[in-house]
Amino acid sequence: MNDKNNRLELLKMLISSRQMGSQDEVLQALSQEGIKITQATLSRDMKQLKVAKAATVNGTYIYVLPNETMYKRVHGSQLASEMLRIPGFQSINFSGNIGVIKTRPGYASSIAYNIDNSDIPEILGTIAGDDTIFIVVRQGSSPQEVVDSLETVIPDIK
């Protein structure tokens, strides 16, 4: 993964896990993670991620991602860069031609996106929630064939 992709993933994690209402706060949080960028770069990154401001219950405004259910707020003292090192994939199980992939909260959508864009012949398509992905397996494909093919997208699957 290149530096920009790493930075964007870190930015999504920070916005999901902290309440920040200004770009200065976001720049400081990124700096604590070892990322030094300009305000202009941050602004372009936030535009690319479609970050918006939303009102909180107490009337202040904070940055949010376009679909907050994709990036469930997490609470903890870990640095976002430490959380990114923990793989999102947790398990996979099959029933007939349906596979169910369990992920950490907020990871299902991005993993399903990667699966759909990998053109895996054994998989017809995916449906993603917050922490669960349903995969439709092509008739005649075995669970082991699916797992073997998914290894290119999900290295931790085995």
Side-chain angles (χ1 to χ4, degrees), residues 25 28 34-35 50 52 64 71 73 80 90 98 101 130 133:
E25 289 177 82
Q28 286 177 346
I35 304 291
K50 296 179 175 52
V64 294
Y71 301 100
R73 293 208 177 268
Q90 291 185 327
I98 300 290
I101 298 174
D130 181 53
I133 304 167

Side-chain angles (χ1 to χ4, degrees), residues 42-112:
L42 175 62
S43 186
R44 284 189 296 273
D45 287 352
M46 291 174 82
K47 183 176 181 179
Q48 181 178 342
L49 294 174
K50 296 179 175 52
V51 172
K53 276 198 168 180
T56 63
V57 221
N58 63 7
T60 62
Y61 287 85
I62 60 168
Y63 289 115
V64 294
L65 293 163
N67 183 355
E68 191 59 45
T69 61
M70 287 174 51
Y71 301 100
K72 188 179 283 183
R73 293 208 177 268
V74 293
H75 301 285
S77 58
Q78 284 183 311
L79 290 175
S81 55
E82 290 171 357
M83 290 189 281
L84 285 173
R85 282 188 224 117
I86 301 168
F89 170 80
Q90 291 185 327
S91 67
I92 185 168
N93 290 292
F94 295 90
S95 177
N97 73 327
I98 300 290
V100 177
I101 298 174
K102 297 300 278 178
T103 71
R104 288 180 39 220
Y107 280 72
S109 182
S110 60
I111 292 173

Side-chain angles (χ1 to χ4, degrees), residues 100-136:
V100 177
I101 298 174
K102 297 300 278 178
T103 71
R104 288 180 39 220
Y107 280 72
S109 182
S110 60
I111 292 173
Y113 176 84
N114 290 338
I115 292 169
D116 288 336
N117 286 300
S118 295
D119 295 322
I120 296 171
E122 294 85 2
I123 298 175
L124 296 175
T126 65
I127 300 173
D130 181 53
D131 61 359
T132 305
I133 304 167
F134 287 111
I135 59 173
V136 178

